[in-house]
Amino acid sequence: MTALSSSAALNADLHCHSTVSDGTLAPEALAARAKAGGVQLWALTDHDEIAGQERARQAALAQGMDYLTGTEISVTFAGRVVHIVGLGFDHTDRQLTDGLRQTRGGREARAKEMSASLAQAGIHGAYEGALKYVGNPELISRTHFARFLVEAGHCSDVPEVFRRYLTEGKPGFVPHKWAALRDAVRWITEAGGVAVIAHPGRYPFTAMEEYALITEFIHHGGRGIEVVTGSHTAADATRYTDTALEFDLLASRGSDFHSPEESHTDLGSLPPLAGSLTPVWSALSERIHRA
Ligand code: AMP
Ligand code: MN
Ligand code: MN
Ligand code: MN
C-alpha cells in the first residue's frame, strides 16, 4: 500500500446513489462524474441494493479510479430510521444478498399505502406517478414520490415535499420497519466488509440515544462512522471527528450525491478528513479493486 492510498488526503467518495436506487444517474454516468470531480477511490452505495455493483466497479476501473463495493442499509433503531453504509464486502455473499432482498421487500406495499394516504390529502395517482421515476422496481423510495409531487406542481422542490408530506406526522408518511441494527452490521461484516454509521448528524437523537446507537453498533461489530459528508455542516464534521477519535472508529467521507439537479454536494468536492483520523480505506486496502 502506498502512503497516499492510506492517507486522509486521498480523494475518496464512498457514498452516492444511482438509478439502481434513488439517484438519477446510471452507475457509468456517476463513475464519469466522480472521475471529473477528482475522485481517486469510489464506492456506489445504493439503498438496500447491490445490483449496480458490477457495473460500478467496471466503470470505475475503466475511468482509472480504485473501487470499493458499497451499499446503504435502512435500519430501524429506537423507533427511528438509521442508515448503515457497508464498504468492501463480497457482493456475492449469500447472507448479505438475502438480507438486502428482505430489507427491500416491504417497499412496494409501503408505497401503495403512501399513495392512499396522499390521496386522502387530495393528491391522486402518486403511486403511478412515482413509478415513472423508478429505475429498479424493487426500490421505490420516498425520493421518487417527491420527484412526482414536484412534477405535478404540488411543491416547488424535493426538500419542500419532504417537509410538507413525507416526514413523520405528515399526510404521506407511512411508518415502516426496516432491518435491525445487529443484522445490518452482521451482514456487512460477515461478508468481509466494514459497517459505517451514515451521516450521524442527521438523526434526531438525544445525546443518550446517540451514545446507545454508537455503543450498540460497536458491540455488533461496526467499525466506522461518516465524518465528512454532504449531509453534514462544518460543525457536524468537527463534532464527529471528536466522536470517531473518542470511540476509536474508522472515519469515512462521502458526498451522498443523488442527482445533478437536487444534490448540493458533488462527487469528490468535499473537504478532506482531519489528519488525526484513521480513514476507513486504510483498513480496507485488501478489499480495494485497483485500477
Ligand atoms: P426511503 O428509503 O424511501 O425512506 O427514502 C429515503 C430517502 O429520501 C433518503 O435516502 C434521501 O435520499 C431522501 N430524503 C430523506 N429526507 C429528505 C429530505 N428532508 N429532503 C430531501 N430528501 C430526503
Ligand atoms: Mn436516498
Ligand atoms: Mn442516508
Ligand atoms: Mn445516501
Side-chain angles (χ1 to χ4, degrees):
M1 186 165 54
T2 64
L4 179 65
S5 68
S6 64
S7 137
L10 184 77
N11 193 339
D13 194 319
L14 306 180
H15 189 153
C16 66
H17 301 275
S18 76
T19 46
V20 171
S21 63
D22 62 347
T24 62
L25 299 182
E28 293 78 8
L30 274 177
R33 195 173 178 101
K35 179 68 181 179
V39 173
Q40 295 164 291
L41 173 64
W42 181 53
L44 171 65
T45 56
D46 278 310
H47 295 288
D48 309 322
E49 177 64 282
I50 53 180
Q53 290 305 303
E54 199 47 43
R55 286 169 67 188
R57 184 181 71 88
Q58 284 180 19
L61 301 187
Q63 294 282 351
M65 293 183 294
D66 290 343
Y67 189 75
L68 277 170
T69 52
T71 187
E72 181 178 21
I73 305 182
S74 312
V75 159
T76 300
F77 178 83
R80 305 274 189 187
V81 182
V82 167
H83 285 171
I84 300 295
V85 161
L87 297 170
F89 47 77
D90 167 7
H91 68 288
T92 66
D93 182 86
R94 186 63 191 271
Q95 180 177 246
L96 174 66
T97 50
D98 286 352
L100 292 175
R101 186 179 317 109
Q102 195 187 313
T103 307
R104 290 193 297 275
R107 280 184 178 271
E108 193 186 352
R110 169 196 186 228
K112 287 180 175 155
E113 278 187 62
M114 284 172 60
S115 186
S117 137
L118 286 167
Q120 290 194 336
I123 296 173
H124 297 279
Y127 178 73
E128 295 71 21
L131 272 187
K132 289 190 294 177
Y133 292 90
V134 167
N136 172 0
E138 286 184 44
L139 216 295
I140 178 161
S141 103
R142 283 185 289 163
T143 317
H144 301 116
F145 279 85
R147 291 182 185 137
F148 166 68
L149 263 67
V150 172
E151 173 207 304
H154 297 288
C155 293
S156 59
D157 60 20
V158 165
E160 186 191 341
V161 184
F162 275 88
R163 275 197 308 278
R164 287 178 52 196
Y165 294 104
L166 300 182
T167 39
E168 222 170 315
K170 299 299 160 64
F173 182 79
V174 172
H176 190 75
K177 194 152 185 298
W178 301 104
L181 178 66
R182 165 189 1 101
D183 292 336
V185 173
R186 196 182 69 227
W187 300 333
I188 295 163
T189 309
E190 292 185 1
V194 169
V196 175
I197 298 174
H199 41 63
R202 240 172 62 183
Y203 309 124
F205 287 141
T206 63
M208 283 291 285
E209 288 167 334
E210 183 180 82
Y211 180 83
L213 169 66
I214 296 171
T215 51
E216 284 193 34
F217 170 76
I218 292 171
H219 174 74
H220 296 311
R223 295 174 61 201
I225 192 163
E226 283 185 347
V227 172
V228 174
T229 113
S231 317
H232 278 177
T233 62
D236 289 330
T238 303
R239 171 154 175 232
Y240 290 103
T241 294
D242 292 343
T243 304
L245 293 170
E246 180 186 346
F247 290 91
D248 202 17
L249 288 165
L250 300 163
S252 194
R253 173 181 189 263
S255 55
D256 206 358
F257 183 83
H258 282 70
S259 151
E261 288 76 33
E262 296 162 15
S263 297
H264 301 296
T265 306
D266 215 326
L267 287 150
S269 71
L270 287 165
L273 293 174
S276 53
L277 292 166
T278 307
V280 67
W281 50 91
S282 72
L284 284 166
S285 65
E286 303 297 308
R287 312 289 311 178
I288 295 176
H289 300 260
R290 307 275 174 191

